[in-house]
Amino acid sequence: MNRRTFTRSAIILTLTTATLFGSTGCSSLQKTWNGMSQTGQGAAAGGTAGAAIGAGVGALIGGGRGSWIGALVGSALGAGTGAVVGNSMQRQKDALEAELDQLRSRQDATDSRLDETNARLDETQQQLNDIKIQMVKDRNNLDAIKMVMGDAVLFPTGKYTLSAAAQAALSRVAYNLKQFPDTDITVVGYTDNTGTEAINQKLSMQRAQSVVNYLKQQGVAADRLKAVGEGWNDPIASNATPEGRAQNRRVELFITANAQMIQNANNQ
């Protein structure tokens, strides 16, 4: 069996396994594979059938929400790999939080100097305060950074042009990424359920791509970036209320260890 045939068989087996657990998982995996760049699919081709099955089952167990994020590893991880990667990701998370805290402090100082624009600046301050950063797990069960930016701080209603506040925050994200070159970032756009599924799918992808384009403009290498549009899928609140719909309109940024970091950690 040649390598291409072996890889194709592994993918088919993964999707078959997903089908046994439910069509939603299968669809998610298929969409993830179809959304990969040629480089990403080439990297996936280096994996084993066991790793492919593991990724598929992991996506199903995780409900499909972010569990496919991260480099596809084709071999078993060493016992200490998780700790090494975790320490590095924690340092990057701490640095990113410090960058955003500096931005918020600067906004506070601006508020005190410009009384006539306090109402607008207070709103921007609240938007910056609403940016959430937490540690999550990627598809390899390694630590990853999840940053959630609400719709209000990112875009005007129904648009995908980045606001000034969003650009300020993403400039700090870009700086952080350049300080930690062995990580990649996946930007996932979401909408509420207002309008048609097709319109929301397109808008979510446009918004994710706007974030990716801005990070590229700030000097982040294109091969570290990926945009994904999820439309109205995976809501985090009820779409029955305006407040819930506002929470669902968001962009999630996942910063994950790239293959080089994982390999280095695995060799230690």
Side-chain angles (χ1 to χ4, degrees):
M1 183 182 294
N2 62 34
R3 181 174 180 177
R4 176 172 295 180
T5 303
F6 180 80
T7 302
R8 185 175 300 166
S9 299
I11 295 167
I12 293 171
L13 185 56
T14 301
L15 295 174
T16 302
T17 304
T19 304
L20 294 175
F21 285 86
S23 59
T24 301
C26 180
S27 175
S28 177
L29 288 168
Q30 183 66 60
K31 181 166 59 177
T32 300
W33 174 257
N34 291 339
M36 285 184 180
S37 65
Q38 290 184 352
T39 301
Q41 290 178 347
T48 64
I53 295 171
V57 173
L60 293 172
I61 293 172
R65 182 176 295 174
S67 52
W68 45 268
I69 300 293
L72 180 61
V73 177
S75 59
L77 300 180
T81 300
V84 174
V85 170
N87 288 336
S88 180
M89 298 306 294
Q90 185 63 54
R91 289 195 301 272
Q92 185 166 0
K93 177 177 178 286
D94 291 344
L96 180 57
E97 289 177 329
E99 287 291 327
L100 291 176
D101 283 344
Q102 287 183 4
L103 180 61
R104 291 163 180 146
S105 297
R106 178 179 296 180
Q107 186 69 35
D108 282 337
T110 304
D111 283 353
S112 65
R113 290 195 302 269
L114 300 176
D115 292 338
E116 68 276 11
T117 58
N118 269 351
R120 178 177 58 82
L121 292 172
D122 283 346
E123 181 180 4
T124 301
Q125 181 68 44
Q126 183 58 53
Q127 292 168 352
L128 293 173
N129 289 339
D130 286 343
I131 295 175
K132 306 299 183 186
I133 302 176
Q134 64 184 112
M135 200 72 83
V136 295
K137 295 293 185 180
D138 69 4
R139 69 190 307 169
N140 304 303
N141 202 36
L142 297 173
D143 285 334
I145 301 166
K146 177 181 177 181
M147 177 176 172
V148 181
M149 300 180 70
D151 176 72
V153 75
L154 287 165
F155 312 99
T157 302
K159 306 294 183 181
Y160 56 93
T161 304
L162 289 168
S163 68
Q167 292 182 29
L170 291 172
S171 293
R172 300 304 177 105
V173 174
Y175 176 81
N176 176 269
L177 289 170
K178 288 184 285 187
Q179 302 307 303
F180 294 86
D182 285 342
T183 54
D184 293 334
I185 184 166
T186 301
V187 181
V188 188
Y190 295 94
T191 66
D192 61 25
N193 68 345
T194 304
T196 68
E197 182 177 8
I199 289 175
N200 280 291
Q201 177 62 39
K202 180 179 179 180
L203 180 60
S204 68
M205 185 63 188
Q206 288 172 325
R207 289 181 163 186
Q209 191 62 54
S210 290
V211 173
V212 164
N213 290 343
Y214 187 80
L215 293 174
K216 286 195 289 188
Q217 292 171 10
Q218 297 299 304
V220 180
D223 61 2
R224 299 178 61 190
L225 302 165
K226 183 177 179 64
V228 177
E230 285 290 339
W232 62 31
N233 295 312
D234 292 333
I236 58 175
S238 171
N239 277 308
T241 66
E243 295 78 13
R245 291 192 293 274
Q247 291 183 59
N248 292 330
R249 298 190 299 267
R250 68 198 191 279
V251 169
E252 297 180 352
L253 295 83
F254 292 88
I255 301 174
T256 57
N258 67 12
Q260 186 61 56
M261 179 192 288
I262 296 172
Q263 180 180 334
N264 293 341
N266 221 20
N267 291 337
Q268 291 188 28

